[in-house]
Amino acid sequence: FKNYVNMNHAGFDGLVAWPNGILHRKLARTCFELKGDPFEAFVYGQKAYPFRIAQKFKIPLIFYGENGEAEYGGIQKYVDKSHETPEDWEEEYYKGAGFDKVIQEGLKMGIFDANEIVNNAFDFYRAPPLEEIKKLGLEMHWWSYYKTWIPQENYYYCVENTGFKPNPERTEGTYSKYASLDDKMDGFHYYLRYIKFGLGRCMEDAAHEIRDGHITREEGLALM
């Protein structure tokens, strides 16, 4: 949060939304019990909220940072493309179990009460209707398509230009102090990924820095 405020003071406007804490916790629990991923509640909002704001203010272009699938391993469909469309979200990000499906499952599981899922309670997490996005001509592009994504160099840039402060100690499960500090769920998210896929947070960071030429393979193995 301090880094967010520092960025505002460095000359950037900011717009923050605080979702209903009770509903967010219930959504995270549903995602955890249903799909083993409590972090998905964050992902829904991360994907949908910028589109909601762009729609409200008639902004036709959204920029994200990196294409995580291309930079950290995943779907290769967009490796050589600058952007994706909301039509692909259901399959590529939510694996056939989109947001409304998760809410209905949470209701069946007794996590949500029927009174909680009415009156647009989850608009922060649900993208605008596709026809409205098309009408505005709205597109979301990845900055990493236009400039090589090197986390360490991004960190140095932010320190120099936005007053960014890293963790005082190394981040959970790895040796770096500056990446993926969004919330306290991050460490748990990476630990669950390690359990499911055998890919630890330190291994991911080391592999990226080996590819970037910042450390050798031997140094990466020593860090792990």
Side-chain angles (χ1 to χ4, degrees):
F1 186 77
K2 289 180 181 178
N3 284 323
Y4 174 77
V5 173
N6 288 345
M7 187 174 70
N8 294 150
H9 291 324
F12 294 91
D13 293 325
L15 191 60
V16 179
W18 298 98
N20 182 315
I22 294 174
L23 294 184
H24 188 84
R25 289 193 293 273
K26 289 186 175 184
L27 179 59
R29 179 184 167 189
T30 300
C31 291
F32 178 54
E33 294 194 17
L34 185 66
K35 303 203 275 184
D37 188 7
F39 201 67
E40 192 159 288
F42 166 81
V43 175
Y44 285 129
Q46 183 189 47
K47 296 292 289 187
Y49 178 66
F51 277 83
R52 287 280 177 183
I53 296 303
Q55 177 196 25
K56 180 178 179 63
F57 292 103
K58 303 297 186 292
I59 300 170
L61 179 62
I62 299 170
F63 261 101
Y64 274 50
E66 79 275 38
N67 176 351
E69 302 286 343
E71 299 299 328
Y72 305 116
I75 299 164
Q76 299 298 296
K77 180 178 180 181
Y78 294 100
V79 168
D80 297 317
K81 294 184 179 180
S82 62
H83 65 286
E84 65 177 358
T85 66
E87 295 151 300
D88 297 308
W89 293 1
E90 182 81 4
E91 174 59 28
E92 295 184 5
Y93 288 93
Y94 308 142
K95 305 299 184 286
F99 183 76
D100 292 316
K101 172 74 171 176
V102 170
I103 295 299
Q104 291 303 315
E105 290 299 316
L107 186 62
K108 293 178 185 177
M109 296 159 69
I111 296 175
F112 288 111
D113 182 276
N115 294 324
E116 293 177 319
I117 62 174
V118 296
N119 299 326
N120 304 316
F122 292 100
D123 275 358
F124 281 155
Y125 306 91
R126 185 183 288 112
L130 191 58
E131 58 270 19
E132 295 184 24
I133 293 176
K134 290 182 176 180
K135 182 179 179 180
L136 181 59
L138 177 57
E139 292 184 353
M140 181 280 289
H141 287 239
W142 294 291
W143 179 246
S144 60
Y145 175 82
Y146 301 95
K147 187 179 189 302
T148 303
W149 189 260
I150 303 177
Q152 191 176 99
E153 293 185 9
N154 294 341
Y155 162 62
Y156 292 144
Y157 183 91
C158 290
V159 169
E160 293 174 4
N161 293 278
T162 69
F164 183 90
K165 301 291 185 184
N167 274 341
E169 304 294 335
R170 68 178 180 85
T171 306
E172 309 97 318
T174 189
Y175 58 87
S176 69
K177 300 180 180 181
Y178 58 82
S180 193
L181 309 179
D182 300 82
D183 55 48
K184 293 181 179 179
M185 184 68 79
D186 281 34
F188 187 43
H189 168 65
Y190 284 104
Y191 180 62
L192 286 169
R193 186 188 64 174
Y194 171 68
I195 292 173
K196 289 188 281 186
F197 303 115
L199 175 60
R201 193 171 187 177
C202 183
M203 180 178 178
E204 178 179 86
D205 286 348
H208 209 299
E209 293 200 350
I210 292 168
R211 293 195 300 272
D212 292 335
H214 291 151
I215 61 176
T216 65
R217 184 176 185 277
E218 290 69 27
E219 289 172 325
L221 287 170
L223 286 166
M224 283 184 273

